Amino acid sequence: MPKSDIHVLSAIKLSPFYEPLVREQFIFHDRLHETDPKAFAAIAPQIRGIAGSGESKVSGELIAQCPNLEIISVFGVGYDGVDVAAARAKGVMVTHTPNVLNDDVADLAIGLMLSAARQLPQADRYVREGRWAEIGPMPLARKVSGAKLGIVGMGRIGQAIAQRALAFNMSVAYTTRSPKSVPFTHVPNVVDLARQSDYLIVITPGGAATRHLINAEVLAALGPEGILVNVARGSVVDEAALIDALERKVIAGAGLDVFQNEPHVPEALRAVPHVVLAPHIGSATSQTRKAMGDLAFANLQAHFEGRPVITPVPECQ
Ligand code: NAP
């Protein structure tokens, strides 16, 4: 297809699976609002699309600066960085990339649960550093198969996690604001869910509605044998309360893919030994990132060709 004369701005450094597609099809302005605000002010009235990611911020202010903006296409399922209310108020469509990443995020959640329970990174270091030969066997770990799993959020990814947990003979319960038609026990209150769970996996959206949903009270309810896994957003867990709970052994351990102030992870969290840390890699496989790039681009393309977008966010449906 010939290159169009439509101007698209990126809100963040885009994935190599997304950016080349946008560059090839549209007139692309790579984070111009950040790198050269003066040049951006001159071009802003021509911007008709914004390309972002799950981590990018598209504020009401940026939306207001682009009077002819029509669409914000997010490469990622979470869009808590986008001011959707401001977009909707101006008739701007917001799209995201649901479903294509369910498997990867669910795989990572289970991987972090197994890693935190069976101390896999610590075991690797134990062998590499010669402690096995020097000291003898490692301290015993905690069993996963057959244990009680609580899932906070039972949407597309939560259900993929639950499906995997069944293969480990785990009993699954979950909390959400409204019960879902799934064959698992709905527990209305997150504290009650934590109290009855050995492992608690968090997979809700981020944003104001879930901010610090996992707080000191939830961690106390999870208890000294409990393990927390967060693959949702850093904002969902009160990080200071989590560090305190880990340091005082209020919970046994954690597996974390997301943090409050990425890519900065507090030194105190890096210092606690019974935590497994990952640099926000939930969907980070080549296969899934390609599928996400294709879908994010297809949404832009559909819109500018006058077809309905493929995956609008719920607020824009
Ligand atoms: P989804 O299908 O929209 O599911 C979200 C679930 O969270 C729903 O079951 C929803 O149920 C529940 N929920 C929302 N607010 C809640 C609250 N206040 N308390 C309890 N439950 C609540 O979304 P998804 O596709 O599964 O994705 C979930 C999130 O995962 C994304 O928004 C993103 O933040 C995160 N994510 C992370 C990575 C990563 O790399 N680590 C990758 C992809 C996605 P109710 O509405 O009934 O409450």
mmCIF file of all heavy atoms in Angstrom, residues 17 55 64 101 115 160 185 196 208 239 245 260 276:
data_model
loop_
_atom_site.group_PDB
_atom_site.id
_atom_site.type_symbol
_atom_site.label_atom_id
_atom_site.label_comp_id
_atom_site.label_asym_id
_atom_site.label_seq_id
_atom_site.Cartn_x
_atom_site.Cartn_y
_atom_site.Cartn_z
ATOM 1 N N PHE A 17 8.524 -4.413 16.702
ATOM 2 C CA PHE A 17 7.459 -5.112 15.982
ATOM 3 C C PHE A 17 6.303 -4.178 15.621
ATOM 4 O O PHE A 17 5.338 -4.595 15.001
ATOM 5 C CB PHE A 17 6.922 -6.287 16.812
ATOM 6 C CG PHE A 17 7.875 -7.451 16.852
ATOM 7 C CD1 PHE A 17 8.547 -7.763 18.017
ATOM 8 C CD2 PHE A 17 8.097 -8.221 15.717
ATOM 9 C CE1 PHE A 17 9.430 -8.833 18.056
ATOM 10 C CE2 PHE A 17 8.969 -9.295 15.744
ATOM 11 C CZ PHE A 17 9.640 -9.603 16.915
ATOM 12 N N GLU A 55 2.950 0.901 28.633
ATOM 13 C CA GLU A 55 3.621 1.726 29.642
ATOM 14 C C GLU A 55 3.553 3.220 29.324
ATOM 15 O O GLU A 55 3.969 4.043 30.121
ATOM 16 C CB GLU A 55 5.102 1.355 29.746
ATOM 17 C CG GLU A 55 5.364 0.057 30.482
ATOM 18 C CD GLU A 55 5.286 -1.134 29.540
ATOM 19 O OE1 GLU A 55 6.008 -1.153 28.544
ATOM 20 O OE2 GLU A 55 4.469 -2.021 29.792
ATOM 21 N N ALA A 64 -5.280 17.226 24.198
ATOM 22 C CA ALA A 64 -5.783 18.578 23.901
ATOM 23 C C ALA A 64 -4.873 19.315 22.930
ATOM 24 O O ALA A 64 -5.322 20.163 22.154
ATOM 25 C CB ALA A 64 -5.926 19.367 25.204
ATOM 26 N N LEU A 101 -1.786 -11.882 24.002
ATOM 27 C CA LEU A 101 -0.704 -12.049 24.983
ATOM 28 C C LEU A 101 -1.104 -12.902 26.184
ATOM 29 O O LEU A 101 -0.303 -13.113 27.102
ATOM 30 C CB LEU A 101 -0.176 -10.675 25.441
ATOM 31 C CG LEU A 101 -1.197 -9.551 25.673
ATOM 32 C CD1 LEU A 101 -2.157 -9.892 26.763
ATOM 33 C CD2 LEU A 101 -0.497 -8.244 25.933
ATOM 34 N N SER A 115 9.027 -20.339 40.521
ATOM 35 C CA SER A 115 10.371 -19.854 40.856
ATOM 36 C C SER A 115 10.452 -19.388 42.297
ATOM 37 O O SER A 115 11.434 -19.645 42.990
ATOM 38 C CB SER A 115 10.755 -18.678 39.952
ATOM 39 O OG SER A 115 10.861 -19.114 38.637
ATOM 40 N N ALA A 160 -6.594 -17.756 31.890
ATOM 41 C CA ALA A 160 -5.491 -18.560 31.327
ATOM 42 C C ALA A 160 -4.580 -19.067 32.456
ATOM 43 O O ALA A 160 -4.042 -20.177 32.380
ATOM 44 C CB ALA A 160 -4.702 -17.725 30.326
ATOM 45 N N THR A 185 -14.389 -20.713 42.680
ATOM 46 C CA THR A 185 -15.121 -20.022 43.739
ATOM 47 C C THR A 185 -14.846 -18.533 43.718
ATOM 48 O O THR A 185 -13.686 -18.118 43.732
ATOM 49 C CB THR A 185 -14.682 -20.595 45.117
ATOM 50 O OG1 THR A 185 -14.791 -22.008 45.042
ATOM 51 C CG2 THR A 185 -15.522 -20.042 46.246
ATOM 52 N N GLN A 196 -7.353 -17.407 52.604
ATOM 53 C CA GLN A 196 -7.561 -18.829 52.291
ATOM 54 C C GLN A 196 -6.591 -19.341 51.224
ATOM 55 O O GLN A 196 -6.700 -20.491 50.801
ATOM 56 C CB GLN A 196 -9.011 -19.062 51.864
ATOM 57 C CG GLN A 196 -9.370 -18.404 50.551
ATOM 58 C CD GLN A 196 -10.808 -18.711 50.131
ATOM 59 O OE1 GLN A 196 -11.748 -18.444 50.873
ATOM 60 N NE2 GLN A 196 -10.964 -19.300 48.957
ATOM 61 N N ALA A 208 -6.435 4.051 38.848
ATOM 62 C CA ALA A 208 -6.905 4.521 40.161
ATOM 63 C C ALA A 208 -7.768 3.478 40.872
ATOM 64 O O ALA A 208 -7.683 3.318 42.094
ATOM 65 C CB ALA A 208 -7.692 5.820 39.976
ATOM 66 N N GLU A 239 3.912 -0.982 47.331
ATOM 67 C CA GLU A 239 5.288 -1.513 47.314
ATOM 68 C C GLU A 239 5.979 -1.357 48.675
ATOM 69 O O GLU A 239 6.734 -2.241 49.094
ATOM 70 C CB GLU A 239 6.091 -0.802 46.226
ATOM 71 C CG GLU A 239 7.169 -1.652 45.611
ATOM 72 C CD GLU A 239 7.683 -1.062 44.302
ATOM 73 O OE1 GLU A 239 8.361 -0.024 44.344
ATOM 74 O OE2 GLU A 239 7.405 -1.642 43.234
ATOM 75 N N ALA A 245 6.561 -6.241 54.484
ATOM 76 C CA ALA A 245 6.058 -7.610 54.741
ATOM 77 C C ALA A 245 7.140 -8.648 54.435
ATOM 78 O O ALA A 245 7.255 -9.661 55.131
ATOM 79 C CB ALA A 245 4.816 -7.872 53.890
ATOM 80 N N GLN A 260 6.360 -0.190 40.899
ATOM 81 C CA GLN A 260 5.718 1.121 40.987
ATOM 82 C C GLN A 260 6.363 2.148 40.058
ATOM 83 O O GLN A 260 5.691 2.932 39.433
ATOM 84 C CB GLN A 260 5.809 1.603 42.429
ATOM 85 C CG GLN A 260 4.632 2.428 42.873
ATOM 86 C CD GLN A 260 4.454 2.336 44.379
ATOM 87 O OE1 GLN A 260 4.008 1.326 44.923
ATOM 88 N NE2 GLN A 260 4.862 3.388 45.060
ATOM 89 N N VAL A 276 11.655 -13.135 43.668
ATOM 90 C CA VAL A 276 12.113 -13.340 42.295
ATOM 91 C C VAL A 276 11.639 -12.140 41.484
ATOM 92 O O VAL A 276 10.449 -11.813 41.486
ATOM 93 C CB VAL A 276 11.530 -14.653 41.717
ATOM 94 C CG1 VAL A 276 12.024 -14.860 40.292
ATOM 95 C CG2 VAL A 276 11.927 -15.827 42.595
#
